Amino acid sequence: MHRKPLLLAHRGTSVLAPENTAPAFDFAMEHGADVLEIDVRLSRDNQVMVFHDETLERTTDGHGPVRERDAVSLKNLDAAYHFTLNDQQLQRGTGIQLLTLTQLLERYAEVRVNIDIKDADKEAVVAVGQVVQRLGAHNRCVLASFHDQQVLRCKQLFPKLKCGMSLAEIKRYYFRFVTGQLQGDRHTAGLFQVPVSYYWLPLAGRRFISSIHRGGGEINFWTINDPEQMKQLLARGADGIVTDRADLARRVFSDLE
């Protein structure tokens, strides 16, 4: 393995604590996570909230789009309202709130954070980048998005911030790989954050991973909760594993040390 792999905690954990909340991130840190993987959306008053869905119903006692509520209103919601563990709702009504990005970066002041921007508009990128810069966290944050335009905006507006590759960039790279255009050719690869396969595209082969490393890139796989699959990917050269189960992953990672 060409570098020490990273354990990225997916929303802290989506299994053992309410996702994207302080208890979930605390769980991740207690079990040796290297990076907190988070999602963010803007509130009505342009506060960056740590939250995945476009609407509030799945995880909170709120209703409607996140974008239609101001930050104070959002923080008054019960962020653990629908969380269950062993079919029990043990954390409903215990005061678990949504976090702002500012709160998260201040609470975990020395921790690396992978920020997935869920909104598709320019205001979201600007707001996220400004928070990261204001707190001096640019050296420990990665910005990413499933919206290709957001990745382009990240690179244009905040060139000092590290950005994950867009889906379009990954597809182009993969096409060059399978057609042999990268063989014997000097090329540059970025940060791949991918599943083991995307529709019909297999992304976890040794040759593909080696190609990315030859281009100076990195590849992290999501969302891997099975220890045997973690071991397999790490053996192939994966640079990071994104998981809901930092506790299980830490045992796998410890065997590599």
Side-chain angles (χ1 to χ4, degrees):
M1 192 167 297
H2 77 299
R3 66 189 79 182
K4 179 180 180 295
L6 297 175
L7 196 171
L8 297 93
H10 181 238
R11 307 178 199 172
T13 174
S14 298
V15 177
L16 300 176
E19 65 180 57
N20 278 322
T21 67
F25 298 128
D26 289 346
F27 168 86
M29 298 311 302
E30 289 165 4
H31 290 87
D34 299 301
V35 183
L36 296 178
E37 190 278 340
I38 73 170
D39 310 286
V40 295
R41 289 190 179 272
L42 284 192
S43 66
R44 186 176 64 199
D45 50 346
N46 283 337
Q47 295 297 305
V48 184
M49 308 301 299
V50 181
F51 197 77
H52 179 273
D53 295 3
E54 182 177 3
T55 59
L56 296 161
E57 288 83 356
R58 182 176 64 86
T59 59
T60 79
D61 56 344
H63 301 278
V66 176
R67 202 64 176 267
E68 293 183 0
R69 307 276 290 264
D70 62 31
V72 171
S73 172
L74 290 168
K75 289 185 67 61
N76 283 330
L77 297 175
D78 185 346
Y81 191 78
H82 291 292
F83 176 73
T84 60
L85 183 61
N86 298 325
D87 296 322
Q88 298 184 65
Q89 294 176 320
L90 300 177
Q91 293 180 285
R92 177 184 288 187
T94 59
I96 297 175
Q97 297 179 321
L98 302 183
L99 296 168
T100 65
L101 178 60
T102 296
Q103 287 177 312
L104 180 132
L105 291 176
E106 290 178 340
R107 181 183 178 98
Y108 307 98
E110 304 298 324
V111 181
R112 284 174 279 188
V113 181
N114 192 101
I115 305 169
D116 187 351
I117 302 173
K118 291 300 182 183
D119 292 316
D121 55 4
K122 181 179 179 180
E123 288 78 5
V125 175
V126 171
V128 171
Q130 288 178 342
V131 169
V132 172
Q133 288 190 330
R134 175 170 55 81
L135 295 178
H138 54 282
N139 289 328
R140 61 185 178 97
C141 288
V142 171
L143 304 188
S145 180
F146 284 97
H147 304 292
D148 285 356
Q149 186 63 30
Q150 295 296 63
V151 176
L152 179 61
R153 287 169 175 152
C154 287
K155 295 176 179 179
Q156 292 175 336
L157 296 172
F158 303 101
K160 293 184 179 180
L161 296 182
K162 187 174 182 179
C163 299
M165 292 176 67
S166 69
L167 180 58
E169 290 172 324
I170 292 170
K171 287 179 177 178
R172 285 196 295 269
Y173 187 95
Y174 189 84
F175 177 78
R176 293 180 64 201
F177 169 75
V178 297
T179 57
Q181 296 181 44
L182 300 179
Q183 294 183 8
D185 179 29
R186 296 184 65 180
H187 65 278
T188 301
L191 173 59
F192 290 70
Q193 297 179 320
V194 294
V196 294
S197 62
Y198 181 76
Y199 291 100
W200 54 273
L201 302 179
L203 302 176
R206 287 182 183 271
R207 288 182 56 248
F208 184 62
I209 294 172
S210 294
S211 171
I212 291 168
H213 290 164
R214 286 197 303 274
E218 305 167 63
I219 183 165
N220 300 332
F221 289 98
W222 51 261
T223 300
I224 313 300
N225 293 332
D226 175 53
E228 290 304 315
Q229 190 176 26
M230 294 177 195
K231 293 177 185 178
Q232 183 182 66
L233 292 169
L234 291 171
R236 293 178 183 178
D239 298 285
I241 299 293
V242 184
T243 181
D244 294 307
R245 295 298 305 270
D247 53 333
L248 299 180
R250 177 45 55 198
R251 299 172 196 170
V252 173
F253 278 61
S254 294
D255 290 340
L256 302 174
E257 298 173 355

